[in-house]
Amino acid sequence: MIRAIFFSTFDVNEGPKVLHQVPADSIAPSSSSSQTPLFHFPSVSSYIIPRPEFCSRLITFCTPTHRVLSQPVCLQSSSYPRNAYTFSIALVLDASTPFASYATVTLKLASLLQTLEEQSRFLSRDASAPNTGKIYALCEILLEDLNNYCESMIPIDDSNTLNIKLFPTYPPPPTLYPYHVPLSTVRLDTLTDPNWDLTMLRVLPYIDGVNSVKQISLLADADYKLVRKAIEHLLYYGCLLLLDIFSFSAIYAPTAEFASFVEDTEMQEECARYIASPSDRTGQSYQHGLVSGLQLVELYLALKQGQTLKSFYIEHAETMDRIDVRRFVTFGVIKGFLYRVHKYAIATNPTSRRKRDHKSKNRQKALPLADVGAQNDDLDAYTYIVDLERFLDGTHCFDEICTELMISEHELMGRLKVVGDVQIICR
């Protein structure tokens, strides 16, 4: 939120001087005012109206409680006193307010006022008293419009109109990996436009909460880097959430946030509606929820470390028969009271493995030509052992390994048994 906007110039007799300020007396209060200014202007005036070398640059500085953004402008001409006219329009924000979007507004304001001054001496010929006239009105409308509507359109004269929009700034999206599964939080088909990026239009049909980023790029027949950029763009604007690849061999466990689910009956009702199996999402039974809140709490508490989703499903088959397992897990992850326990592979003796691989390679070279089939089989085994080696340092989860090598977890476990000397850690 903008706390104040003020316009200042360099007076040849008084030096840096505030001519217009909104709200009144917020920067340089009059002698008759008892209001406390947001900051002491004389102590920072050299940053508001600096030397010519620092003009035409965005200047931002902080006081103990506020941040000031300005772009001073110095115009050289013999028609001005001392052959120069220096001015600055500045925005005052709270010190903790993100200021990236406000910086753009400041630059545009300075550029517009410079153009108006060069065209018609709009600023230097203004003889209005302080806090009156067109410049003051401009500051007043800007403050009200940007704070209330985040945009403003102000006609300056017959030839110039000020159009400014304050675009929100979002935090950078989380790092996107090929094994992440994007899930839309909005109806993407209602937002699309024929003029959208072609890669984006090809990607959208495959964002269903099931396909990973790598799978989406393959299904859309698009370059992975372009697909990743498109999905990151949707992530930035909050249109997507990231999930893990669903698998019955996965392990899930409740977090400390599970207590909020136990106490929130509305969330329990929402969960019951969301996780209903497709065959039960119609009729009166769906309206009242298929499972009670107590049953949901018991089911989520039954998930624990060391127990796969398959074992959990078999143990609670009678109740889970009425529940969509994927949605059951997804709801807990989205709400934050369920987390995925990932599996990592660590080679306990990489040196001996390399020696064994070296011997295997030499043995393949020594095979007679009659054993071409056996040689190819050994070569394939050697190849996937080498491919696995870079993932066996305990920093790559099974989802990542399976996605990169395009294999299932069952096949990965088979290869790890062939490699040997590998320890599986769940965390």
Side-chain angles (χ1 to χ4, degrees):
M1 181 177 181
I2 303 175
R3 295 299 180 185
I5 298 179
F6 65 95
F7 176 81
S8 55
T9 63
F10 182 83
D11 187 279
V12 294
N13 298 317
E14 302 179 30
K17 180 180 180 181
V18 177
L19 291 182
H20 307 288
Q21 51 190 315
V22 181
D25 299 327
S26 58
I27 307 300
S30 60
S31 56
S32 60
S33 174
S34 59
Q35 181 176 339
T36 303
L38 298 178
F39 55 86
H40 187 243
F41 178 76
S43 63
V44 298
S45 60
S46 58
Y47 300 106
I48 304 297
I49 305 293
R51 293 179 298 175
E53 293 83 357
F54 293 97
C55 290
S56 299
R57 302 171 185 269
L58 178 66
I59 294 179
T60 173
F61 61 89
C62 284
T63 67
T65 56
H66 295 87
R67 179 184 295 273
V68 181
L69 289 87
S70 70
Q71 181 175 312
V73 177
C74 181
L75 299 176
Q76 306 285 342
S77 174
S78 58
S79 61
Y80 297 125
R82 296 191 180 180
N83 298 323
Y85 178 72
T86 305
F87 69 89
S88 175
I89 186 165
L91 276 61
V92 182
L93 315 172
D94 290 327
S96 59
T97 301
F99 64 93
S101 57
Y102 294 97
T104 305
V105 171
T106 304
L107 296 176
K108 188 168 185 178
L109 282 173
S111 176
L112 174 69
L113 293 180
Q114 179 178 348
T115 301
L116 291 173
E117 176 63 20
E118 292 172 344
Q119 288 178 352
S120 60
R121 297 293 191 266
F122 178 80
L123 304 176
S124 58
R125 291 180 180 175
D126 182 37
S128 304
N131 298 332
T132 61
K134 292 183 177 181
I135 303 176
Y136 174 77
L138 176 68
C139 296
E140 192 174 32
I141 296 172
L142 269 176
L143 180 66
E144 182 177 353
D145 286 358
L146 292 181
N147 280 343
N148 294 328
Y149 312 110
C150 294
E151 60 182 359
S152 181
M153 185 181 73
I154 307 173
I156 305 297
D157 52 31
D158 295 338
S159 305
N160 297 282
T161 301
L162 173 63
N163 288 283
I164 283 184
K165 184 164 185 175
L166 194 61
F167 291 95
T169 54
Y170 300 99
T175 304
L176 187 65
Y177 294 104
Y179 56 89
H180 277 149
V181 177
L183 174 68
S184 61
T185 58
V186 296
R187 291 187 176 275
L188 296 174
D189 55 341
T190 62
L191 303 176
T192 55
D193 184 275
N195 298 319
W196 274 26
D197 178 75
L198 294 178
T199 303
M200 181 73 76
L201 293 176
R202 299 181 70 171
V203 162
L204 292 182
Y206 303 104
I207 298 178
D208 55 4
V210 177
N211 298 319
S212 66
V213 178
K214 183 70 172 290
Q215 289 173 321
I216 291 173
S217 67
L218 295 175
L219 293 171
D221 193 21
D223 182 73
Y224 169 74
K225 293 182 180 179
L226 297 179
V227 171
R228 179 177 176 176
K229 285 185 178 180
I231 295 177
E232 284 178 340
H233 188 80
L234 295 174
L235 273 174
Y236 178 77
Y237 287 103
C239 299
L240 300 177
L241 293 173
L242 294 181
L243 304 174
D244 298 304
I245 296 175
F246 178 82
S247 171
F248 276 99
S249 60
I251 300 174
Y252 291 89
T255 68
E257 301 297 325
F258 186 71
S260 62
F261 177 75
V262 175
E263 299 170 355
D264 193 338
T265 57
E266 291 185 1
M267 189 187 297
Q268 293 172 9
E269 293 174 359
E270 179 188 358
C271 178
R273 293 191 297 269
Y274 181 78
I275 68 176
S277 61
S279 59
D280 292 325
R281 289 178 193 166
T282 58
Q284 192 69 17
S285 61
Y286 170 70
Q287 299 299 328
H288 293 84
L290 295 174
V291 290
S292 66
L294 178 60
Q295 286 178 310
L296 288 174
V297 171
E298 290 176 346
L299 286 174
Y300 279 116
L301 284 176
L303 295 167
K304 57 186 177 182
Q305 288 266 9
Q307 177 183 250
T308 64
L309 198 57
K310 179 181 178 181
S311 301
F312 164 81
Y313 187 87
I314 294 174
E315 185 178 345
H316 302 84
E318 184 176 349
T319 306
M320 295 300 295
D321 186 54
R322 298 174 290 162
I323 292 175
D324 187 323
V325 186
R326 186 190 300 274
R327 284 173 168 256
F328 175 78
V329 170
T330 300
F331 186 87
V333 173
I334 292 176
K335 295 298 184 180
F337 62 79
L338 204 65
Y339 75 98
R340 169 77 179 277
V341 181
H342 285 282
K343 299 176 183 177
Y344 298 83
I346 300 179
T348 56
N349 197 352
T351 304
S352 63
R353 188 178 70 252
R354 283 196 296 269
K355 290 179 179 179
R356 185 181 65 248
D357 293 344
H358 181 69
K359 292 179 180 179
S360 176
K361 189 175 181 181
N362 291 336
R363 186 171 59 83
Q364 292 163 17
K365 293 180 180 179
L367 286 174
L369 294 177
D371 295 333
V372 174
Q375 184 176 0
N376 290 337
D377 291 341
D378 285 350
L379 184 59
D380 291 340
Y382 173 77
T383 301
Y384 72 63
I385 289 175
V386 173
D387 290 340
L388 272 178
E389 184 177 11
R390 57 193 175 100
F391 297 110
L392 304 182
D393 57 359
T395 62
H396 304 277
C397 65
F398 272 29
D399 283 357
E400 179 182 356
I401 300 173
C402 292
T403 302
E404 290 291 338
L405 301 181
M406 300 296 290
I407 58 176
S408 66
E409 184 172 331
H410 178 74
E411 187 177 353
L412 173 60
M413 291 299 296
R415 294 190 180 186
L416 291 176
K417 289 179 181 178
V418 174
V419 173
D421 299 330
V422 176
Q423 184 176 0
I424 308 300
I425 295 178
C426 297
R427 60 183 175 89

